[in-house]
Amino acid sequence: MIVLGIETSCDETGVAVYDTARGLRSHTLYSQIRLHADYGGVVPELASRDHVRKLVPLVRECLAQAGLGLADLDGVAYTAGPGLVGALLVGAALGRALAFALEIPAIGVHHMEGHLLAPLLEENAPQPPFVALLVSGGHSQLVDVRGIGDYALLGETLDDAAGEAFDKTAKLMGLPYPGGPHLAKLAQQGRPDIYTFARPMTDRPGLEFSFSGLKTQVLLAWQQSDQGEQTRADIARGFEEAVTETLAIKCERALVQTGRGALVVAGGVGANRRLRERLAELAERRRVQVCFPRLEFCTDNGAMIAFAGALRLAAGEREGAAIRAHPRWDMATLPALASA
């Protein structure tokens, strides 16, 4: 089955073609970072309009890369939520229109399920059951993945997500938008142990996260410092180490609690080098497998939507004719894959 995947949940327009027999055939991505940089964050109306402008050309480009035409498609998958409702509707409308015109099935994909399954595109990726760490600008969750679509939430953030904390901390120190990647790059120049911040909620049982207090600690440290370039790098390193060690501690607890032998990491923060190092050390110490998506699939992309959609379409799932978008959508409400 050859499936076209469309991702338009926020500020990236992603398109990909996944073939259940041959794997990922092609993928393209357009980022709106420059469009939103002057505003310091994503402007929903501008994001929606830019998806309208870029989506059809990207579909054509992606099909050309794969050496395919519209007639070769067996299904269409699109992000149905969660996300910005206007942006979601752009992808959903095109996905449903293509499916209707081509008389092929369509499926609305949960954005976070797409992220969760993205590491499974890699060779030697673990199959369920496993523990998944989903860390992005909007989510910080630990999930027990018993099967595709069979998810149990183990713990989540009580306030800021990890990626959100990265972005907000970068902004308060004057780093450009988007702040998270700039902060991580700056942290590489920081000296270890100059600034040591708390590892939130690691001194109590449970798998919940909280990063707002850590952000406040950094703000106070920055305000009381000389605000020089080396100090900025030292604070960035201290913040990054606090976040990544906190995530690693919680991942280890989740593995012990569930008895799983594999950890899958997904979402934009999954690209962070120090987090990957921490979790690789954890995997070696506990003798478990850890799997990350390739860097280009950590952020929003069409490949994860094409793959997740292909799994569900191949299992016989279908959407009705209505165009639906879910700005808020609990992943626990998804049906388990029929063949799982």
Side-chain angles (χ1 to χ4, degrees):
M1 173 175 270
I2 299 175
V3 177
L4 178 75
I6 297 172
E7 156 60 20
T8 62
S9 65
C10 191
D11 62 337
E12 261 108 17
T13 312
V15 181
V17 175
Y18 184 81
D19 186 337
T20 54
R22 298 175 53 185
L24 187 64
R25 299 281 295 270
S26 64
H27 63 95
T28 58
L29 184 70
Y30 173 77
S31 175
Q32 300 177 2
I33 285 177
R34 290 185 180 180
L35 176 66
H36 302 286
D38 290 342
Y39 304 95
V42 177
V43 180
E45 175 66 15
L46 295 180
S48 301
R49 290 180 180 274
D50 218 38
H51 286 311
V52 172
R53 182 173 68 90
K54 294 297 294 185
L55 187 52
V56 170
L58 283 176
V59 169
R60 290 174 176 152
E61 178 184 342
C62 197
L63 287 171
Q65 285 181 8
L68 300 170
L70 288 173
D72 296 309
L73 297 177
D74 300 307
V76 179
Y78 57 88
T79 303
L84 303 175
V85 64
L88 290 168
L89 284 169
V90 174
L94 180 61
R96 285 298 321 158
L98 284 172
F100 180 79
L102 298 170
E103 298 183 332
I104 57 177
I107 190 79
V109 173
H110 193 290
H111 180 74
M112 295 311 296
E113 181 174 55
H115 273 302
L116 187 152
L117 298 179
L120 305 191
L121 284 163
E122 308 304 322
E123 292 184 7
N124 302 317
Q127 295 302 308
F130 53 75
V131 169
L133 172 66
L134 302 179
V135 275
S136 66
H139 297 81
S140 291
Q141 297 179 334
L142 280 164
V143 180
D144 185 20
V145 180
R146 296 172 293 209
I148 306 300
D150 187 3
Y151 309 127
L153 181 65
L154 300 172
E156 61 184 337
T157 184
L158 303 180
D159 40 59
D160 292 348
E164 182 183 8
F166 265 92
D167 289 338
K168 288 181 177 179
T169 300
K171 186 174 183 178
L172 68 85
M173 289 198 297
L175 295 175
Y177 173 86
H182 286 286
L183 188 148
K185 184 176 180 180
L186 183 63
Q188 295 178 26
Q189 305 168 27
R191 296 169 293 181
D193 304 323
I194 301 299
Y195 285 89
T196 302
F197 300 110
R199 278 52 172 162
M201 299 187 71
T202 58
D203 59 347
R204 66 190 77 176
L207 296 173
E208 286 74 30
F209 303 97
S210 173
F211 295 108
S212 62
L214 176 58
K215 182 184 62 183
T216 302
Q217 289 182 50
V218 174
L219 173 61
L220 293 175
W222 174 246
Q223 289 176 338
Q224 295 167 10
S225 74
D226 60 11
Q227 300 190 4
E229 286 305 309
Q230 185 59 56
T231 299
R232 195 196 308 264
D234 293 339
I235 291 177
R237 174 151 185 173
F239 168 81
E240 184 184 60
E241 288 181 341
V243 172
T244 55
E245 186 174 351
T246 298
L247 293 172
I249 290 170
K250 297 289 185 171
C251 284
E252 184 165 12
R253 288 184 185 177
L255 289 167
V256 171
Q257 179 176 312
T258 60
R260 304 302 187 203
L263 173 69
V264 164
V265 184
V269 182
N272 183 274
R273 188 188 70 174
R274 204 171 303 279
L275 177 61
R276 289 184 173 226
E277 291 172 353
R278 290 275 189 188
L279 294 180
E281 292 169 2
L282 166 63
E284 184 176 358
R285 186 175 69 254
R286 297 209 64 89
R287 297 183 180 179
V288 298
Q289 181 181 4
V290 62
C291 180
F292 300 90
R294 67 193 78 170
L295 294 178
E296 60 193 317
F297 294 159
C298 286
T299 55
D300 296 348
N301 62 87
M304 67 184 193
I305 302 304
F307 178 58
L311 292 178
R312 290 192 173 275
L313 286 170
E317 293 188 26
R318 302 290 187 269
E319 288 281 349
I323 298 173
R324 302 184 188 278
H326 310 280
R328 291 192 175 98
W329 190 4
D330 185 355
M331 194 166 66
T333 65
L334 292 175
L337 199 68
S339 58

